[in-house]
Amino acid sequence: ILKSFHGFHPAPQRLCSRFLSGPGAPSWNDYVRPKEFNFASYVLDYWAQMEMEGKRGPNPALWWVNNQGDELKWSFREMTDLTRRTANVLTQTCGLQEGDYLALILPRVPEWWLVAVGCIRTGIIFMPGTTQMKAKDIVYRLQASKAKGIVTTDTLAPVVDSLASEYPGLKTKLLVSDQSCKGWLDFRSLIKSASPDHVCIKSKTLDPMAVFFTSGTSGLPKMTKHSHGLALRSFLPSCRQFLKLKTSDVFWCPSDTGWIMSMLGSLLEPWTAGSTVFVHHLSPFDPKNMIQTFFKYPITYCLAAPSVFRMILQQNSTSLRFPTLEHCCAGGEALLPEEQEQWRKQTGILLYQAYGQSETGVTCGIFRGMKIKPGSMGKAIPPFDIQIIDDKGNILPPDTEGILGIRIKPVKPLGLFMCYENDPVKTEEVECGDFYNTGDRATVDTDGYFFFLGRADDIINASGYRIGPSEVENALAEHPAVAESAVVSSPDPIRGEVVKAFIVLTPKFLSHDRDQLTKELQQHVKSVTAPYKYPRKVEFVPVLPKTITGKIKRSELRKKEFGQM
Ligand code: BCO
C-alpha cells in the first residue's frame, strides 16, 4: 500500500496568503500568544506553498524506510493533500468531531503522521500510545478518556475487540493494515477515495490538541493534556535557536510514536523549520541497524534517548564516523559526562543534552553552538522561566540542590501542559507556589546551566521510559507466586536505570527454582502490561522494609541499589 502512495499526485490546493506570517516570519517573539494557531495550516500548508513557489529545496517532508527495503518519500504538498483527506475520513466517514478523543496506537508507519495531522486539522484530540501496550493498558486509556475512536494495527485490533464489553464507547475503529478485519474501517482504502478538499479549523492556541499518558508514583498513568500551544512553541525564536534546523536538514528521532519526544522530534520541530523528518520503522530496535542507517541515508540530525547513543557505542563498530551527521542531542534520561566524551571521540560529533517531560515538552537544553558543560542539561528555553525551588516554591540560590520548577504565575508559558484531564487534585498537587513542580531534583550554576540530580519521588526512568512502580507491582500481584513486592530503580551501565523488583514469595512458591521463577515473573509482567516496564532485576526477600503504619519504604531499597546506604 505504501508503494501505492508512491508518486501520488496531490490535487491542486487552496493555499492562502496569510502564510506570509508563517514559520519564517521575523516578527514573532518568545512571548507571543496569538489567539489562534493551528500547526497544519500555519506550518504544513505554508511549506507546501513554498514548494509550489519553488522556494524550498527538493528534500521530502517525510522520508520513511523499513527493514524490508521499502521506502517512501512525501513532499509537503503530498502531506497537505493526504492529511486533508485524512481529516475528511475522520470527520465525514467516521463522524468524529472537534473535541472527541481518538486513541492513536500505531508503530512508526507513515499513517501515524497522517492521522496526527488529520486530527490537528479537525480539532480531534489524539492520544498517542505505544504499540507495546497490552489489553489492560488500552482499556484504561479508552475508559479514562471516553475515546470515541481508535486507530491501530491488525496485531492490536483483536485485543481492542476483546475489550468491547469493558468499553462499549468506541464509535470508530480504523485499521492500518494490508489485511481487512471485521468491524474495522480500512484506513488505507478510505484515504484514497476521500476528498482532498478540507478547511482546517481555526483552533484557539489554548484549545486542546493532544493527550499523552504519563506514569506517576502511584495509581494509573495520568492524562497529560496539551493545547495547540505545544506546536506553537516550536515556532518561537528560542526553540528555533535551540535546534537551529535548516530546510536541508534530515532529522531522525527514533523515539516510539507513543511519546512526546516523537511528537516533538518527528513532527513539530523539524516540520516547523521545513526540514525532512526521517523515519525508520525499526522493528525490533537494533543499534546495528541504526549504525547502518546513519551510513546509508543523509541524516544530519539525531535526537534520541541517551540509552540509544550508549547502545550504539556498545556495538564496537569499526567506524562511527557517519558521513552526514552534524548534530546529536540526547534527552529523556540522564547522560553522564564520560558518555558525552566517548561519543565525541568515536563519532567526532558533540552530544548535546536536552531535558523535558510529557508535561513540559522540551524545557531546557544546550542550544546548538552553545558551550557544553559536561553533565549539564543546558539552559532554560524561553518562554520557560526555570528556577530551582524549595518545597514551598521559594527560589534557591545557585549551586543549591532543590526542585526544578517552571514558573506558571502570573502566566502559564506556552508549551506547558494544560492539566491532568479529569484530575484537578493531581493538577493542583504539582503546583508549588508560582511554579510547576517537575518532581526532578537539580541545581543551577551561576551561568544558568542546569544539572540533573534525580527524581524526588519513586518514579523510575529506565532507558528514557517513565515507569510508575505501582504499575509494575500491580502486574506482579496478579501472579500467584507474589505475596507482595516493591519496585524501585536500580543503576545499569547501558539503560541508565532499570526496574528492579523485590519480591516476597507466597508459601507455595518458596521452594521453587529462583532463576526459573524470575524468568516466569518477567514474562508474566511482559504479558499483562507494556513489556518495557518488566523488572530486568529481581530479588527475592523474606520481608520488605516498612514504616510503622505498614507503608513500604521504597526509598530505602532504592538508596541501597545506588550505594547510598
Ligand atoms: O530487552 P528484552 O528483549 O528482554 O525486552 C524488550 C523487548 O524485547 C520486549 N518487547 C517489546 N515488544 C514486545 C516485547 N515483549 C513481548 N511482546 C511485545 N510486543 O520488551 C522489552 C522492551 O524494552 P525496550 O523498549 O527498552 O526495548 P529495547 O529494544 O531494548 O529498546 C532500547 C531503547 C533504548 C530503544 C528503548 O528503551 C527506548 O526506546 N528508549 C527511549 C524511550 C523514549 O523515547 N523516551 C522518551 C520519552 S518522552 C520524554 O522523556 C520527554 C522528553 C522531551
Side-chain angles (χ1 to χ4, degrees):
I1 79 92
L2 295 168
K3 282 178 193 140
S4 69
F5 280 135
H6 222 70
F8 184 88
H9 294 295
Q13 290 153 11
R14 284 187 273 117
L15 299 168
C16 59
S17 57
R18 72 193 165 96
F19 304 114
L20 288 174
S21 63
S27 58
W28 293 73
N29 71 53
D30 284 332
Y31 302 93
V32 73
R33 201 175 262 263
K35 265 211 174 96
E36 284 176 8
F37 181 79
N38 188 288
F39 178 80
S41 56
Y42 276 78
V43 176
L44 221 70
D45 296 353
Y46 168 84
W47 287 114
Q49 175 79 20
M50 291 298 105
E51 277 177 1
M52 276 161 63
E53 292 175 14
K55 292 181 181 158
R56 189 184 169 270
N59 274 2
L62 186 77
W63 187 344
W64 176 93
V65 301
N66 68 9
N67 282 335
Q68 286 71 51
D70 297 316
E71 191 167 335
L72 175 145
K73 288 179 185 174
W74 281 333
S75 65
F76 278 103
R77 284 182 70 195
E78 286 168 311
M79 282 309 305
T80 287
D81 181 292
L82 289 164
T83 54
R84 285 177 175 173
R85 289 169 188 264
T86 305
N88 285 327
V89 169
L90 295 173
T91 50
Q92 291 172 10
T93 318
C94 303
L96 294 171
Q97 292 174 359
E98 187 172 347
D100 286 346
Y101 285 91
L102 178 81
L104 174 53
I105 312 175
L106 288 177
R108 300 175 194 86
V109 289
E111 289 83 357
W112 186 88
W113 281 259
L114 301 187
V115 177
V117 179
C119 285
I120 295 175
R121 286 195 185 283
T122 53
I124 295 163
I125 304 163
F126 62 107
M127 305 185 294
T130 171
T131 50
Q132 284 198 26
M133 284 193 292
K134 298 286 182 255
K136 257 193 174 171
D137 308 310
I138 296 174
V139 76
Y140 164 67
R141 279 158 176 75
L142 298 177
Q143 286 169 342
S145 64
K146 299 192 178 60
K148 293 260 172 66
I150 188 163
V151 187
T152 195
T153 60
D154 46 23
T155 312
L156 285 175
V159 178
V160 174
D161 285 338
S162 73
L163 303 170
S165 60
E166 284 172 81
Y167 186 71
L170 279 179
K171 178 169 155 185
T172 289
K173 295 187 291 179
L174 273 169
L175 186 75
V176 175
S177 170
D178 290 336
Q179 336 276 333
S180 61
C181 193
K182 200 166 163 255
W184 288 74
L185 295 169
D186 176 1
F187 180 77
R188 286 174 176 169
S189 51
L190 284 173
I191 198 166
K192 281 189 207 154
S193 53
S195 162
D197 290 325
H198 180 269
V199 180
C200 185
I201 59 152
K202 284 184 187 292
S203 45
K204 302 243 179 340
T205 302
L206 298 183
D207 281 349
M209 181 181 79
V211 162
F212 297 89
F213 281 80
T214 190
S215 296
T217 304
S218 59
L220 293 159
K222 296 165 282 185
M223 287 176 69
T224 309
K225 190 163 153 184
H226 276 279
S227 69
H228 291 270
L230 178 71
L232 175 57
R233 180 148 188 248
S234 306
F235 222 75
L236 304 182
S238 280
C239 254
R240 311 291 297 277
Q241 279 302 310
F242 166 55
L243 296 175
K244 284 204 177 78
L245 288 170
K246 313 175 285 295
T247 50
S248 56
D249 272 316
V250 179
F251 195 108
W252 188 17
C253 171
S255 186
D256 185 288
T257 50
W259 316 121
I260 197 167
M261 190 195 267
S262 170
M263 176 84 179
L264 297 169
S266 292
L267 201 159
L268 300 178
E269 296 289 345
W271 279 353
T272 297
S275 311
T276 295
V277 168
F278 180 84
V279 185
H280 194 305
H281 190 255
L282 275 184
S283 178
F285 172 77
D286 173 8
K288 280 202 178 66
N289 197 342
M290 275 198 76
I291 294 172
Q292 285 160 6
T293 306
F294 279 124
F295 279 110
K296 189 167 172 194
Y297 297 95
I299 295 154
T300 58
Y301 204 113
C302 180
L303 168 70
S307 292
V308 171
F309 294 106
R310 277 186 217 115
M311 286 177 182
I312 290 175
L313 287 171
Q314 286 282 315
Q315 299 309 305
N316 291 326
S317 181
T318 46
S319 169
L320 291 179
R321 298 271 159 174
F322 305 121
T324 53
L325 194 62
E326 291 171 7
H327 192 83
C328 291
C329 185
E333 53 167 314
L335 180 72
L336 298 174
E338 45 273 33
E339 293 163 352
Q340 274 177 305
E341 184 51 15
Q342 215 188 337
W343 184 262
R344 187 194 62 77
K345 272 194 181 146
Q346 295 211 35
T347 63
I349 300 164
L350 298 173
L351 181 50
Y352 284 62
Q353 247 201 101
Y355 160 87
Q357 299 182 330
S358 301
E359 287 88 341
T360 65
V362 63
T363 307
C364 59
I366 308 272
F367 287 55
R368 192 168 181 171
M370 188 168 117
K371 180 184 161 197
I372 292 182
K373 287 200 184 186
S376 169
M377 52 194 193
K379 294 189 181 187
I381 303 173
F384 285 6
D385 171 9
I386 308 179
Q387 301 289 342
I388 300 299
I389 54 170
D390 66 14
D391 56 10
K392 306 242 169 354
N394 301 307
I395 297 174
L396 297 173
D399 303 316
T400 312
E401 180 177 341
I403 302 159
L404 194 119
I406 300 172
R407 189 182 292 283
I408 48 170
K409 287 176 192 163
V411 184
K412 200 181 223 187
L414 268 184
L416 198 69
F417 76 123
M418 301 167 75
C419 62
Y420 296 121
E421 182 71 330
N422 304 325
D423 205 336
V425 175
K426 284 221 162 91
T427 306
E428 211 183 301
E429 261 171 31
V430 294
E431 283 189 17
C432 182
D434 290 349
F435 293 88
Y436 158 68
N437 176 347
T438 60
D440 287 322
R441 298 194 70 77
T443 58
V444 62
D445 70 9
T446 45
D447 295 331
Y449 280 79
F450 288 89
F451 293 81
F452 181 84
L453 296 172
R455 281 298 297 178
D457 55 22
D458 293 334
I459 287 176
I460 302 159
N461 188 332
S463 62
Y465 293 121
R466 179 159 147 178
I467 299 167
S470 59
E471 291 171 55
V472 187
E473 288 162 1
N474 291 344
L476 284 166
E478 289 177 32
H479 194 282
V482 178
E484 58 179 348
S485 72
V487 165
V488 300
S489 75
S490 178
D492 182 82
I494 305 293
R495 293 169 189 271
E497 292 173 26
V498 290
V499 173
K500 175 161 181 179
F502 290 87
I503 294 173
V504 178
L505 289 173
T506 49
K508 227 173 101 188
F509 284 81
L510 282 172
S511 57
H512 280 227
D513 177 78
R514 299 294 160 103
D515 289 343
Q516 193 54 39
L517 206 48
T518 297
K519 286 197 187 96
E520 192 179 317
L521 288 166
Q522 289 175 325
Q523 206 43 50
H524 164 77
V525 175
K526 279 185 177 180
S527 70
V528 296
T529 189
Y532 68 83
K533 297 181 208 165
Y534 87 91
R536 287 178 188 269
K537 293 184 186 172
V538 173
E539 188 175 329
F540 298 102
V541 288
V543 283
L544 294 171
K546 288 186 183 167
T547 61
I548 297 169
T549 53
K551 210 170 159 248
I552 294 170
K553 293 194 214 164
R554 287 197 197 105
S555 63
E556 194 171 292
L557 295 167
R558 186 177 57 241
K559 279 182 187 153
K560 242 170 75 188
E561 288 304 300
F562 286 86
Q564 293 165 346
M565 282 180 80

PDB file of all heavy atoms in Angstrom, residues 26-39:
ATOM      1  N   PRO A  26       9.758  37.012  10.810  1.00  0.00           N
ATOM      2  CA  PRO A  26      10.709  37.558  11.771  1.00  0.00           C
ATOM      3  C   PRO A  26      10.054  38.224  12.982  1.00  0.00           C
ATOM      4  O   PRO A  26      10.685  38.457  13.986  1.00  0.00           O
ATOM      5  CB  PRO A  26      11.468  38.596  10.939  1.00  0.00           C
ATOM      6  CG  PRO A  26      10.518  38.988   9.865  1.00  0.00           C
ATOM      7  CD  PRO A  26       9.600  37.834   9.622  1.00  0.00           C
ATOM      8  N   SER A  27       8.755  38.543  12.874  1.00  0.00           N
ATOM      9  CA  SER A  27       8.153  39.375  13.910  1.00  0.00           C
ATOM     10  C   SER A  27       7.774  38.613  15.181  1.00  0.00           C
ATOM     11  O   SER A  27       7.435  39.221  16.183  1.00  0.00           O
ATOM     12  CB  SER A  27       6.904  40.038  13.336  1.00  0.00           C
ATOM     13  OG  SER A  27       6.048  39.016  12.891  1.00  0.00           O
ATOM     14  N   TRP A  28       7.858  37.305  15.152  1.00  0.00           N
ATOM     15  CA  TRP A  28       7.449  36.548  16.331  1.00  0.00           C
ATOM     16  C   TRP A  28       8.480  36.698  17.447  1.00  0.00           C
ATOM     17  O   TRP A  28       9.662  36.755  17.207  1.00  0.00           O
ATOM     18  CB  TRP A  28       7.339  35.067  15.966  1.00  0.00           C
ATOM     19  CG  TRP A  28       6.235  34.786  15.016  1.00  0.00           C
ATOM     20  CD1 TRP A  28       6.219  35.095  13.695  1.00  0.00           C
ATOM     21  CD2 TRP A  28       4.991  34.188  15.308  1.00  0.00           C
ATOM     22  NE1 TRP A  28       5.034  34.700  13.135  1.00  0.00           N
ATOM     23  CE2 TRP A  28       4.253  34.133  14.112  1.00  0.00           C
ATOM     24  CE3 TRP A  28       4.415  33.673  16.466  1.00  0.00           C
ATOM     25  CZ2 TRP A  28       2.976  33.593  14.039  1.00  0.00           C
ATOM     26  CZ3 TRP A  28       3.153  33.122  16.386  1.00  0.00           C
ATOM     27  CH2 TRP A  28       2.443  33.102  15.189  1.00  0.00           C
ATOM     28  N   ASN A  29       7.994  36.745  18.696  1.00  0.00           N
ATOM     29  CA  ASN A  29       8.937  36.701  19.811  1.00  0.00           C
ATOM     30  C   ASN A  29       8.526  35.569  20.746  1.00  0.00           C
ATOM     31  O   ASN A  29       7.473  34.956  20.574  1.00  0.00           O
ATOM     32  CB  ASN A  29       9.033  38.055  20.523  1.00  0.00           C
ATOM     33  CG  ASN A  29       7.777  38.369  21.306  1.00  0.00           C
ATOM     34  OD1 ASN A  29       7.321  37.580  22.134  1.00  0.00           O
ATOM     35  ND2 ASN A  29       7.184  39.521  21.035  1.00  0.00           N
ATOM     36  N   ASP A  30       9.376  35.299  21.758  1.00  0.00           N
ATOM     37  CA  ASP A  30       9.154  34.128  22.617  1.00  0.00           C
ATOM     38  C   ASP A  30       7.879  34.213  23.447  1.00  0.00           C
ATOM     39  O   ASP A  30       7.425  33.213  23.986  1.00  0.00           O
ATOM     40  CB  ASP A  30      10.344  33.969  23.568  1.00  0.00           C
ATOM     41  CG  ASP A  30      11.546  33.395  22.847  1.00  0.00           C
ATOM     42  OD1 ASP A  30      11.336  32.658  21.866  1.00  0.00           O
ATOM     43  OD2 ASP A  30      12.680  33.674  23.262  1.00  0.00           O
ATOM     44  N   TYR A  31       7.360  35.413  23.591  1.00  0.00           N
ATOM     45  CA  TYR A  31       6.219  35.569  24.497  1.00  0.00           C
ATOM     46  C   TYR A  31       4.932  35.863  23.740  1.00  0.00           C
ATOM     47  O   TYR A  31       3.927  36.232  24.333  1.00  0.00           O
ATOM     48  CB  TYR A  31       6.548  36.648  25.544  1.00  0.00           C
ATOM     49  CG  TYR A  31       7.798  36.247  26.294  1.00  0.00           C
ATOM     50  CD1 TYR A  31       9.055  36.682  25.887  1.00  0.00           C
ATOM     51  CD2 TYR A  31       7.729  35.336  27.350  1.00  0.00           C
ATOM     52  CE1 TYR A  31      10.212  36.248  26.527  1.00  0.00           C
ATOM     53  CE2 TYR A  31       8.878  34.905  27.992  1.00  0.00           C
ATOM     54  CZ  TYR A  31      10.112  35.352  27.577  1.00  0.00           C
ATOM     55  OH  TYR A  31      11.238  34.896  28.210  1.00  0.00           O
ATOM     56  N   VAL A  32       4.988  35.692  22.420  1.00  0.00           N
ATOM     57  CA  VAL A  32       3.817  35.948  21.595  1.00  0.00           C
ATOM     58  C   VAL A  32       2.723  34.938  21.954  1.00  0.00           C
ATOM     59  O   VAL A  32       3.000  33.800  22.322  1.00  0.00           O
ATOM     60  CB  VAL A  32       4.188  35.859  20.096  1.00  0.00           C
ATOM     61  CG1 VAL A  32       4.426  34.427  19.676  1.00  0.00           C
ATOM     62  CG2 VAL A  32       3.118  36.475  19.229  1.00  0.00           C
ATOM     63  N   ARG A  33       1.516  35.376  21.901  1.00  0.00           N
ATOM     64  CA  ARG A  33       0.427  34.478  22.252  1.00  0.00           C
ATOM     65  C   ARG A  33      -0.763  34.796  21.337  1.00  0.00           C
ATOM     66  O   ARG A  33      -1.768  35.372  21.787  1.00  0.00           O
ATOM     67  CB  ARG A  33       0.065  34.697  23.713  1.00  0.00           C
ATOM     68  CG  ARG A  33      -0.657  33.550  24.361  1.00  0.00           C
ATOM     69  CD  ARG A  33      -0.808  33.898  25.817  1.00  0.00           C
ATOM     70  NE  ARG A  33       0.222  33.250  26.596  1.00  0.00           N
ATOM     71  CZ  ARG A  33       0.014  32.108  27.236  1.00  0.00           C
ATOM     72  NH1 ARG A  33      -1.131  31.517  27.197  1.00  0.00           N
ATOM     73  NH2 ARG A  33       0.976  31.559  27.943  1.00  0.00           N
ATOM     74  N   PRO A  34      -0.636  34.445  20.077  1.00  0.00           N
ATOM     75  CA  PRO A  34      -1.771  34.734  19.196  1.00  0.00           C
ATOM     76  C   PRO A  34      -2.993  33.952  19.652  1.00  0.00           C
ATOM     77  O   PRO A  34      -2.857  32.881  20.233  1.00  0.00           O
ATOM     78  CB  PRO A  34      -1.290  34.248  17.827  1.00  0.00           C
ATOM     79  CG  PRO A  34      -0.234  33.254  18.132  1.00  0.00           C
ATOM     80  CD  PRO A  34       0.403  33.671  19.415  1.00  0.00           C
ATOM     81  N   LYS A  35      -4.157  34.495  19.375  1.00  0.00           N
ATOM     82  CA  LYS A  35      -5.388  33.822  19.829  1.00  0.00           C
ATOM     83  C   LYS A  35      -5.565  32.483  19.134  1.00  0.00           C
ATOM     84  O   LYS A  35      -6.014  31.511  19.727  1.00  0.00           O
ATOM     85  CB  LYS A  35      -6.586  34.716  19.509  1.00  0.00           C
ATOM     86  CG  LYS A  35      -7.006  35.600  20.653  1.00  0.00           C
ATOM     87  CD  LYS A  35      -8.517  35.827  20.567  1.00  0.00           C
ATOM     88  CE  LYS A  35      -9.003  36.592  21.774  1.00  0.00           C
ATOM     89  NZ  LYS A  35      -9.100  38.031  21.525  1.00  0.00           N
ATOM     90  N   GLU A  36      -5.208  32.482  17.820  1.00  0.00           N
ATOM     91  CA  GLU A  36      -5.437  31.263  17.040  1.00  0.00           C
ATOM     92  C   GLU A  36      -4.116  30.688  16.559  1.00  0.00           C
ATOM     93  O   GLU A  36      -3.214  31.431  16.181  1.00  0.00           O
ATOM     94  CB  GLU A  36      -6.270  31.597  15.799  1.00  0.00           C
ATOM     95  CG  GLU A  36      -7.719  31.820  16.102  1.00  0.00           C
ATOM     96  CD  GLU A  36      -8.477  32.243  14.852  1.00  0.00           C
ATOM     97  OE1 GLU A  36      -7.904  32.205  13.738  1.00  0.00           O
ATOM     98  OE2 GLU A  36      -9.643  32.618  15.002  1.00  0.00           O
ATOM     99  N   PHE A  37      -4.038  29.377  16.562  1.00  0.00           N
ATOM    100  CA  PHE A  37      -2.876  28.731  15.954  1.00  0.00           C
ATOM    101  C   PHE A  37      -3.251  27.308  15.588  1.00  0.00           C
ATOM    102  O   PHE A  37      -3.878  26.600  16.371  1.00  0.00           O
ATOM    103  CB  PHE A  37      -1.670  28.704  16.909  1.00  0.00           C
ATOM    104  CG  PHE A  37      -0.457  28.066  16.283  1.00  0.00           C
ATOM    105  CD1 PHE A  37       0.338  28.777  15.396  1.00  0.00           C
ATOM    106  CD2 PHE A  37      -0.151  26.732  16.520  1.00  0.00           C
ATOM    107  CE1 PHE A  37       1.435  28.179  14.781  1.00  0.00           C
ATOM    108  CE2 PHE A  37       0.933  26.128  15.915  1.00  0.00           C
ATOM    109  CZ  PHE A  37       1.735  26.860  15.042  1.00  0.00           C
ATOM    110  N   ASN A  38      -2.857  26.904  14.404  1.00  0.00           N
ATOM    111  CA  ASN A  38      -3.051  25.514  14.012  1.00  0.00           C
ATOM    112  C   ASN A  38      -1.828  25.077  13.205  1.00  0.00           C
ATOM    113  O   ASN A  38      -1.520  25.649  12.164  1.00  0.00           O
ATOM    114  CB  ASN A  38      -4.330  25.336  13.188  1.00  0.00           C
ATOM    115  CG  ASN A  38      -4.626  23.866  12.967  1.00  0.00           C
ATOM    116  OD1 ASN A  38      -3.943  23.194  12.206  1.00  0.00           O
ATOM    117  ND2 ASN A  38      -5.628  23.355  13.675  1.00  0.00           N
ATOM    118  N   PHE A  39      -1.151  24.066  13.713  1.00  0.00           N
ATOM    119  CA  PHE A  39       0.095  23.602  13.109  1.00  0.00           C
ATOM    120  C   PHE A  39      -0.095  23.197  11.644  1.00  0.00           C
ATOM    121  O   PHE A  39       0.760  23.472  10.798  1.00  0.00           O
ATOM    122  CB  PHE A  39       0.617  22.411  13.918  1.00  0.00           C
ATOM    123  CG  PHE A  39       1.869  21.806  13.389  1.00  0.00           C
ATOM    124  CD1 PHE A  39       3.102  22.377  13.648  1.00  0.00           C
ATOM    125  CD2 PHE A  39       1.835  20.651  12.612  1.00  0.00           C
ATOM    126  CE1 PHE A  39       4.274  21.826  13.157  1.00  0.00           C
ATOM    127  CE2 PHE A  39       2.999  20.090  12.113  1.00  0.00           C
ATOM    128  CZ  PHE A  39       4.217  20.677  12.379  1.00  0.00           C
TER     129      PHE A  39
END
